[in-house]
Amino acid sequence: MTNMKNDLFIRACLQQDVERTPVWMMRQAGRYMAEYREVRKKHDFWTVCRTPDLATEVTMQPIDKLAPDAAILFSDILVVLPPLGLDVKFSPGPSLESPVRTVLQVNELKRFDVQQELPYVFDALRQIKQSLNGCASLIGFGGAPLTLAAYMVEGGKSKNFENLKTLFYQEEKAAHQMLDLLVDIQADFLSAQIDAGAEAVQIFDTWGGSMPREIIETFVIPKIQVLIEKVKRPGVPVIYFMKDAAHALDLLAQTGADVLSIDDKISLSTAAAGIGPGPALQGNLDSAVLFCNKDIITREVQKVLDAVPKGRGHIFNLGHGILPNTPVENAKHMLDEVKRLSAR
Amino acid sequence: MTNMKNDLFIRACLQQDVERTPVWMMRQAGRYMAEYREVRKKHDFWTVCRTPDLATEVTMQPIDKLAPDAAILFSDILVVLPPLGLDVKFSPGPSLESPVRTVLQVNELKRFDVQQELPYVFDALRQIKQSLNGCASLIGFGGAPLTLAAYMVEGGKSKNFENLKTLFYQEEKAAHQMLDLLVDIQADFLSAQIDAGAEAVQIFDTWGGSMPREIIETFVIPKIQVLIEKVKRPGVPVIYFMKDAAHALDLLAQTGADVLSIDDKISLSTAAAGIGPGPALQGNLDSAVLFCNKDIITREVQKVLDAVPKGRGHIFNLGHGILPNTPVENAKHMLDEVKRLSAR
């Protein structure tokens, strides 16, 4: 029996030679797929996250239909909040009943046993790994400390982050304490995901890039550095994705990530110039391109491929998550075109 | 009688010598003031915009209470949409019943007579000018073509701009046609505001910086260039504010604006380095700082002042609009501290 394992994704992350550019999509298990919407008719979002059979089912849907080179666990970065005593409701955006607004509340947050509190995540990873059977690499993930803190302090999505920033400007000690706790929790969580079969992990920093550079320097990059240091293992790539990072490109390289995921605001050549030599790059087709006709999709896929500096590791992806109303056939076209156009 | 006219703001915009740094706040007439909330209890947002007495009243509220060096007309960038046949409701965010989604709809948009359609704007400016009596400069404003197009095409606020971007990627000709029409309308509109007494105008490009750089190069900067060229008059500064512009700093200088307003993501020294020599800078205290105690506010005001390159024209402002729950006494403290700390 030949070895059918598809490890293109891992090899590109580690900047080894690849026959073609690997490709997957952030949020590839999601509402744009009819099969996903069917599952969600019967089960709410939290139930799908917390039921390994369901999480496996929806994680596998895009694998079966679109054949990307990586599967990402279906879950949510906020699964770590309930074990911290913070209940989260989705309606559909996340909202917390009691946000963390005082130093006293920060002091009450405690590290917890991830195996005991989040067994469903690790069970799901084990099941997905088995279902994949080597046809795609399995990615685990978690939220960056600042992004988790943003939800914890603001109590949900925020436009201006005035509570979080007040903590940063005025209660620096408590802010560091909270972020350091989140570093420990995320290190435990991501390491346990690797133990359960994740072959790579991605740290999502959705709100890091919404911060002034000064806050990024003090409260983001040093925390990501420590987190990645704790999680790093030979052969298991760590991907860091800070959205809207154009004002912090030079800082991204300091994180020690194997791969930096880049959003669609700048070309990968501009990103590479700002970051400097080092990590592989992931990205960065504008998700809106998938609403255009197939010729435009092909043209824009080619542009992304052309922007990658020669010899730099590259994983093709969107600039952020695939949008809910994306036509599935356009996503399929994009994946097929990446495979065709990047073949060496 | 001595000349009591306060022209600090205009002089700083034109990079002339000033005794201290002028200061005003974006959205300084707004919900954080009890006096404004009183007016809004009796009148909805559109009514205040469209009634010169009310627009004058709320425009003057922060002038009387906080003594900034400039007053900005109370209005909304979307006042130009109804004359284009696009009705806008505020609830509280703007929403359009019939967004512009097809090339056919783009073709139907027609330039209109601003004097005839928007007389209340010019009446308000004349009234405000009289009320100010020289104690602060009067700023008129309008939306940038792309930002107006974003509302017209998406039908309101958007997170991902997939309709607008589809137009850019797939219907380039119609996109240029719509933007060029908006350039003409905004040129008419801003010029008429200057005729009515505005001593400077600010172009708000709230969503320009949310676009990929490639779109900014093609659909933003060339349009702003033409618009500013049409509006420019000796001694009447044009301010351009693109939010989230960190990935386009070098392009901002090409607009020909006298002043570039900078958000709070980067320091003014970083902005100056990216922009190069030329325009004066406006900004850029993080609005969230106004939720901190007075010592922190003073510290952060000083940091902004310190970041301005020596000899560069500077107008102190926030990085974006003042937030609705800001304590008025903190805004007052900020303004007082700018005046005190910047005195030559």
Side-chain angles (χ1 to χ4, degrees):
Chain A
M1 207 175 114
T2 51
N3 179 9
M4 293 292 290
K5 192 168 160 59
N6 172 8
D7 62 353
L8 271 176
F9 167 80
I10 299 293
R11 281 190 281 143
C13 289
L14 300 174
Q15 313 217 45
Q16 298 168 359
D17 279 342
V18 283
E19 304 82 67
R20 63 163 175 82
T21 303
V23 53
W24 66 285
M25 298 186 297
M26 290 188 263
R27 288 196 193 277
Q28 65 190 11
R31 268 185 289 165
Y32 73 105
M33 290 191 73
E35 295 85 343
Y36 174 85
R37 295 193 299 270
E38 276 305 309
V39 171
R40 283 296 313 284
K41 268 185 202 162
K42 284 173 280 179
H43 309 284
D44 67 21
F45 179 73
W46 260 143
T47 303
V48 181
C49 290
R50 287 171 168 162
T51 311
D53 283 347
L54 294 173
T56 301
E57 184 181 345
V58 299
T59 300
M60 291 302 296
Q61 286 169 349
I63 309 303
D64 298 337
K65 193 143 191 168
L66 304 172
D69 298 297
I72 186 163
L73 166 71
F74 184 86
S75 185
D76 192 273
I77 61 166
L78 299 185
V79 293
V80 294
L81 265 49
L84 278 168
L86 302 165
D87 269 336
V88 183
K89 299 223 176 336
F90 288 89
S91 57
S95 78
L96 279 73
E97 220 165 81
S98 322
V100 180
R101 292 278 166 85
T102 65
V103 175
L104 198 73
Q105 283 172 300
V106 172
N107 288 333
E108 278 166 3
L109 299 170
K110 296 272 176 294
R111 194 167 176 173
F112 56 84
D113 183 328
V114 294
Q115 295 289 352
Q116 198 176 310
E117 298 288 343
L118 302 167
Y120 59 85
V121 170
F122 313 112
D123 288 341
L125 283 164
R126 279 181 285 263
Q127 280 196 39
I128 297 163
K129 186 80 170 268
Q130 211 161 15
S131 299
L132 286 171
N133 195 25
C135 76
S137 302
L138 177 54
I139 306 173
F141 74 94
L146 180 131
T147 288
L148 292 174
Y151 286 107
M152 290 163 66
V153 174
E154 300 294 344
K157 266 193 147 175
S158 174
K159 209 180 120 199
N160 300 303
F161 305 99
E162 59 257 51
N163 297 293
L164 181 70
K165 285 170 157 185
T166 302
L167 199 70
F168 290 153
Y169 287 121
Q170 193 163 285
E171 302 288 354
E172 199 163 333
K173 206 184 133 209
H176 279 296
Q177 184 184 324
M178 177 158 69
L179 293 169
D180 290 340
L181 174 69
L182 289 167
V183 166
D184 286 338
I185 289 168
Q186 293 305 87
D188 290 348
F189 185 43
L190 293 172
S191 298
Q193 291 188 47
I194 297 169
D195 292 339
E199 295 161 271
V201 289
Q202 178 156 331
I203 300 166
F204 284 87
D205 209 348
T206 316
W207 306 123
S210 298
M211 297 293 127
R213 183 175 162 107
E214 203 189 324
I215 288 179
I216 295 176
E217 287 173 326
T218 310
F219 295 103
V220 177
I221 302 297
K223 309 304 173 189
I224 299 291
Q225 267 173 346
V226 177
L227 173 55
I228 291 181
E229 190 56 42
K230 284 176 190 266
V231 169
K232 234 178 184 16
R233 292 187 212 179
V236 182
V238 180
I239 309 167
Y240 177 56
F241 177 38
M242 183 195 281
K243 222 167 128 281
D244 297 316
H247 57 312
L249 290 176
D250 56 315
L251 302 174
L252 297 182
Q254 299 174 15
T255 58
D258 299 288
V259 182
L260 293 170
S261 202
I262 306 296
D263 75 11
D264 48 33
K265 306 276 170 54
I266 51 172
S267 71
L268 291 181
S269 61
T270 303
I275 292 162
L281 302 177
Q282 178 173 272
N284 70 344
L285 186 76
D286 188 342
S287 302
V289 167
L290 298 187
F291 289 84
C292 298
N293 66 45
K294 294 200 169 54
D295 288 348
I296 305 280
I297 296 171
T298 298
R299 180 189 81 193
E300 298 296 320
V301 164
Q302 185 67 61
K303 268 194 211 163
V304 171
L305 291 170
D306 288 346
V308 181
K310 235 188 145 92
R312 189 103 183 203
H314 178 220
I315 300 93
F316 201 104
N317 207 317
L318 301 171
H320 54 83
I322 187 167
L323 298 173
N325 298 318
T326 304
V328 177
E329 64 273 23
N330 288 0
K332 174 86 176 119
H333 180 72
M334 180 205 92
L335 280 137
D336 291 346
E337 287 296 80
V338 172
K339 294 176 184 177
R340 183 177 72 84
L341 294 167
S342 71
R344 320 273 192 260
Chain B
M1 210 176 112
T2 51
N3 179 7
M4 293 294 288
K5 192 168 160 61
N6 172 8
D7 61 353
L8 272 176
F9 167 80
I10 299 293
R11 282 191 281 142
C13 289
L14 300 173
Q15 312 217 46
Q16 298 168 359
D17 278 343
V18 284
E19 304 82 68
R20 63 164 176 80
T21 303
V23 54
W24 66 287
M25 298 185 297
M26 289 188 264
R27 287 194 193 279
Q28 64 189 11
R31 268 185 289 166
Y32 73 104
M33 290 190 73
E35 295 85 343
Y36 174 85
R37 295 193 300 270
E38 276 306 308
V39 172
R40 283 296 312 286
K41 268 186 203 162
K42 283 173 282 181
H43 309 283
D44 68 21
F45 180 73
W46 260 143
T47 303
V48 181
C49 291
R50 286 171 168 163
T51 311
D53 282 348
L54 294 173
T56 302
E57 184 182 344
V58 298
T59 300
M60 291 302 296
Q61 286 169 349
I63 309 303
D64 298 336
K65 193 143 191 168
L66 304 172
D69 297 297
I72 186 162
L73 166 72
F74 185 87
S75 185
D76 193 273
I77 61 167
L78 300 185
V79 293
V80 294
L81 265 50
L84 279 167
L86 301 165
D87 268 335
V88 182
K89 298 222 176 337
F90 287 90
S91 57
S95 78
L96 279 72
E97 220 165 82
S98 321
V100 180
R101 293 278 165 85
T102 65
V103 175
L104 197 74
Q105 283 172 300
V106 171
N107 287 334
E108 278 166 1
L109 299 169
K110 295 272 176 293
R111 195 165 175 174
F112 57 83
D113 182 329
V114 294
Q115 295 290 354
Q116 198 176 311
E117 298 288 343
L118 302 167
Y120 59 86
V121 170
F122 313 112
D123 288 341
L125 283 165
R126 280 183 284 264
Q127 280 196 39
I128 297 163
K129 186 80 169 268
Q130 211 161 15
S131 300
L132 286 170
N133 195 25
C135 77
S137 303
L138 177 54
I139 307 173
F141 74 94
L146 179 130
T147 288
L148 292 174
Y151 286 107
M152 290 163 66
V153 174
E154 299 295 344
K157 265 194 147 174
S158 174
K159 211 181 120 197
N160 300 304
F161 304 99
E162 58 257 52
N163 297 293
L164 181 71
K165 285 170 157 184
T166 302
L167 200 70
F168 290 152
Y169 288 121
Q170 194 164 283
E171 303 287 356
E172 201 163 330
K173 205 183 134 211
H176 279 296
Q177 184 184 324
M178 177 157 71
L179 292 168
D180 290 340
L181 174 69
L182 290 168
V183 166
D184 286 338
I185 289 169
Q186 294 305 87
D188 291 347
F189 185 43
L190 293 172
S191 298
Q193 290 188 47
I194 297 169
D195 292 338
E199 296 162 271
V201 288
Q202 179 157 331
I203 300 166
F204 284 88
D205 210 349
T206 315
W207 304 124
S210 298
M211 297 294 127
R213 183 176 161 105
E214 202 190 324
I215 288 178
I216 295 176
E217 286 173 327
T218 310
F219 296 103
V220 178
I221 301 298
K223 309 304 173 188
I224 298 292
Q225 267 173 347
V226 177
L227 174 55
I228 291 181
E229 190 56 42
K230 284 175 189 266
V231 170
K232 236 179 181 22
R233 292 187 211 178
V236 182
V238 180
I239 309 168
Y240 177 56
F241 176 38
M242 183 195 280
K243 224 167 129 281
D244 298 316
H247 58 311
L249 289 176
D250 56 316
L251 302 175
L252 297 182
Q254 299 173 15
T255 58
D258 299 287
V259 182
L260 293 170
S261 202
I262 306 295
D263 75 10
D264 49 31
K265 305 276 169 54
I266 52 172
S267 71
L268 291 181
S269 60
T270 303
I275 291 162
L281 303 177
Q282 177 172 273
N284 71 342
L285 186 76
D286 187 342
S287 303
V289 167
L290 298 187
F291 290 85
C292 298
N293 66 46
K294 295 201 166 56
D295 288 348
I296 305 280
I297 295 171
T298 298
R299 181 189 80 194
E300 297 296 321
V301 164
Q302 185 67 62
K303 268 194 211 163
V304 171
L305 291 170
D306 289 346
V308 181
K310 236 187 145 90
R312 190 103 183 202
H314 178 220
I315 300 94
F316 201 103
N317 207 318
L318 300 171
H320 54 83
I322 186 168
L323 299 173
N325 297 317
T326 304
V328 177
E329 64 272 23
N330 287 1
K332 174 85 176 120
H333 181 72
M334 182 205 90
L335 279 137
D336 291 346
E337 288 296 80
V338 173
K339 293 177 184 177
R340 183 177 72 84
L341 294 167
S342 71
R344 319 272 194 262

